[in-house]
Amino acid sequence: MSVETSNIPIKNEQGSFSEVPGSYCVRDISLAEEGRRLIDWAEANMPVMMHFRKEFEKTKPFAGYRLSGCLHVTKETAVLIETFKAAGAEVYWSGCNPLSTNDAVAAALAAVGISIYAWHGNHEDFYWCIDRTLDNRPHLTLDDGCDLINTVHEKMIEYAKNDVIGGTEETTTGVHRLRSRSADGKLYYPVFAVNDAETKWDFDNVYGTGQSTLDGILRATSVMLAGKNFVVAGHGHCGAGVAKRAAGMGSNVIITEVKATAAIKGVLEGYEVKTMDEAAKIGDIFCTATGMKDIIRKHHFESMRDGAIVCNTGHYDCEINIGELEEISVKKRTIRQNCEEYTLKNGHKIYVLAEGRLVNLAAAEGHPSEVMDMSFANQFLCHVKLVESHRAGVKLPIEVIDIPVEQDEYIADLKLKTMRLSVDILTQEQIDYATNYQEGT
Ligand code: ADE
């Protein structure tokens, strides 16, 4: 495998680092033009981000600040990166999953001077890329899955404690990891939980995951979904989105859960609820969306129907135990892109999509631009808040910080406006009715 590099910053003998904005490591820089067209397409569907770009390129709140990001390199992420750049930031970036980088987008970003270290299929040098984004000691970190924050906290403790202003975290799994780090007293700078903003999880996690996961499954298999038993492991926001869209395509949806209320919601949506032991015997397509490891393991594979399709849409590739599948398989071959066929000792064939990594990004293009518009609006505004607080000498608490309600409302209002829709406004009498215990009844 070869990747193209420019002059990568190297630590010198004095222990300081070269300042070479525009260093990069991507698969093929000649893909830049193709990538630029993809970014143009995403921009056309991300009006809130483009509004911010127009507003903040005038004031440049990030001038003098370095930001490192570790998040899927997609056309939508490129819009976020270029909005930071327009607002004055010096940006360093790596992918947050070995299979989610769009090489054309990475090339387009490298071509305009973004220090990007990412290529599709980067299993071996994944952490090396994260390290490179830290060489120039960023003031801000932006994460999806917490690998960047973990790297800073474990390899650069003094710098984490003294020099980083703050960060953000994009995803459910990452926020869980952060909260456990914080509870352990091992979080060294403030981090905003972007995932938990209403304008993020209520849209990106549900509708984004729902559409993009089905998109990934269809690109990898082209099978008919109607009439299939479609097992969704986990009926949280992401699983609920997948289940809703699979049902919409005519699948018979079966939910597996560990949480009673989530299971009841599944029943009330009209789905069947079963244990994975039961579902494994009858499922045609399995999709994990739990954030938990070992959801599908050896004895599940052994009881599956011949031809079962198995995939994951959770952040990490631990939900399907592929190691155990390999142990009980006698043959493996690639049947088509992102679709591996395993032949078991019992003769059954099982198809695993995208190596058990998030199928929506590895086999498709991730969530649509329209929904990432709101998620990334949250990312951007949290970083504006971090630098504004820093400039004003205000110290934010060193904890996992919830997104302010006003930010959620501001983003939702902007988004609605770009959709050319309006909501009603309460009259003063209605506000009094809602807020005064003496009114009503
Ligand atoms: N996560 C899910 N979809 C994404 C996308 N399109 N870009 C970046 N991160 C994502």
Side-chain angles (χ1 to χ4, degrees):
M1 213 282 302
S2 73
V3 287
E4 292 193 23
T5 62
S6 73
N7 39 350
I8 293 165
I10 304 287
K11 196 173 183 186
N12 66 26
E13 279 160 20
Q14 289 73 44
S16 62
F17 296 84
S18 61
E19 298 270 339
V20 195
S23 302
Y24 62 79
C25 193
V26 299
R27 168 85 63 190
D28 179 359
I29 195 70
S30 76
L31 297 173
E33 240 180 74
E34 179 190 335
R36 180 51 52 190
R37 286 194 296 272
L38 292 173
I39 298 168
D40 288 347
W41 181 240
E43 283 181 358
N45 292 303
M46 297 179 78
V48 176
M49 289 306 296
M50 296 313 284
H51 170 83
F52 289 162
R53 191 177 297 177
K54 218 165 152 196
E55 179 179 338
F56 289 98
E57 72 189 353
K58 289 184 221 134
T59 52
K60 298 223 181 310
F62 293 100
Y65 289 91
R66 292 186 294 278
L67 179 146
S68 286
C70 177
L71 192 145
H72 309 292
V73 178
T74 64
K75 58 192 185 306
E76 291 76 25
T77 302
V79 175
L80 173 66
I81 291 173
E82 295 196 324
T83 304
F84 276 122
K85 188 177 176 220
E90 199 175 289
V91 184
Y92 300 80
W93 211 267
S94 68
C96 68
N97 182 285
L99 296 186
S100 65
T101 294
N102 181 312
D103 285 324
V105 169
L109 291 168
V112 295
I114 301 295
S115 300
I116 181 156
Y117 304 88
W119 58 95
H120 191 92
N122 175 15
H123 292 89
E124 276 159 38
D125 298 313
F126 184 78
Y127 289 100
W128 178 87
C129 287
I130 292 178
D131 288 345
R132 294 292 67 73
T133 70
L134 294 168
D135 282 340
N136 281 330
R137 300 186 172 256
H139 305 96
L140 303 159
T141 67
L142 187 158
D143 222 334
D144 184 339
C146 216
D147 283 327
L148 176 61
I149 290 174
N150 274 353
T151 304
V152 173
H153 278 71
E154 269 144 44
K155 288 195 186 163
M156 308 165 84
I157 296 176
E158 287 313 308
Y159 156 72
K161 285 183 175 166
N162 302 320
D163 299 319
V164 180
I165 297 168
T168 51
E169 170 53 50
E170 170 82 3
T171 202
T172 317
T173 302
V175 170
H176 288 164
R177 292 170 107 192
L178 273 178
R179 292 202 193 281
S180 106
R181 177 175 278 290
S182 180
D184 219 17
K186 295 274 165 52
L187 181 67
Y188 302 140
Y189 57 81
V191 183
F192 281 97
V194 167
N195 179 70
D196 297 354
E198 194 180 348
T199 43
K200 200 279 183 184
W201 60 254
D202 233 7
F203 300 92
D204 166 321
N205 300 25
V206 183
Y207 305 101
T209 308
Q211 176 166 324
S212 61
T213 301
L214 261 61
D215 187 7
I217 294 171
L218 291 175
R219 290 194 204 195
T221 65
S222 84
V223 296
M224 178 134 164
L225 297 179
K228 293 281 192 320
N229 283 342
F230 194 118
V231 180
V232 182
H235 194 241
H237 289 96
C238 296
V242 175
K244 192 183 273 296
R245 294 303 181 234
M249 294 289 277
S251 291
N252 171 43
V253 174
I254 300 166
I255 300 291
T256 73
E257 251 300 338
V258 290
K259 192 174 170 194
T261 49
I264 295 167
K265 284 183 192 165
V267 175
L268 299 190
E269 287 292 340
Y271 313 138
E272 292 182 62
V273 171
K274 294 188 183 297
T275 63
M276 184 54 85
D277 282 6
E278 294 165 337
K281 294 180 192 143
I282 56 170
D284 298 305
I285 301 172
F286 295 81
C287 180
T288 55
T290 67
M292 176 51 65
K293 66 184 219 179
D294 292 339
I295 298 302
I296 301 181
R297 45 194 190 272
K298 188 173 170 184
H299 72 280
H300 299 128
F301 294 123
E302 285 171 337
S303 65
M304 281 181 189
R305 288 177 171 175
D306 187 23
I309 294 168
V310 179
C311 67
N312 164 55
T313 200
H315 188 80
Y316 284 107
D317 61 338
C318 59
E319 304 203 19
I320 303 166
N321 194 325
I322 302 222
E324 289 188 353
L325 177 60
E326 296 205 328
E327 273 170 32
I328 58 170
S329 296
V330 291
K331 193 172 148 203
K332 175 182 169 188
R333 63 178 178 145
T334 301
I335 209 82
R336 46 189 278 147
Q337 200 180 2
N338 289 309
C339 182
E340 304 282 342
E341 178 192 79
Y342 289 80
T343 306
L344 271 52
K345 288 174 190 153
N346 66 10
H348 284 185
K349 291 183 167 55
I350 290 178
Y351 297 93
V352 175
L353 309 187
E355 302 172 12
R357 296 185 184 275
L358 18 76
V359 69
N360 60 335
L361 280 140
E365 292 175 67
H367 303 351
S369 308
E370 291 88 335
V371 85
M372 294 313 294
D373 196 22
M374 284 195 285
S375 306
F376 286 166
N378 276 294
Q379 286 283 5
F380 186 80
L381 289 186
C382 285
H383 281 278
V384 170
K385 189 164 181 66
L386 284 166
V387 292
E388 279 177 351
S389 306
H390 183 250
R391 281 193 206 282
V394 175
K395 286 227 177 296
L396 294 171
I398 300 181
E399 60 188 29
V400 181
I401 306 174
D402 287 332
I403 303 305
V405 176
E406 310 79 63
Q407 178 173 311
D408 245 341
E409 287 173 351
Y410 175 58
I411 291 171
D413 282 345
L414 271 178
K415 185 71 185 176
L416 197 70
K417 223 177 257 165
T418 69
M419 296 163 87
R420 298 190 194 86
L421 299 170
S422 306
V423 288
D424 289 326
I425 298 169
L426 291 176
T427 63
Q428 190 54 50
E429 286 79 11
Q430 288 172 316
I431 294 170
D432 293 344
Y433 175 78
T435 54
N436 188 341
Y437 71 94
Q438 288 162 324
E439 291 251 356
T441 65

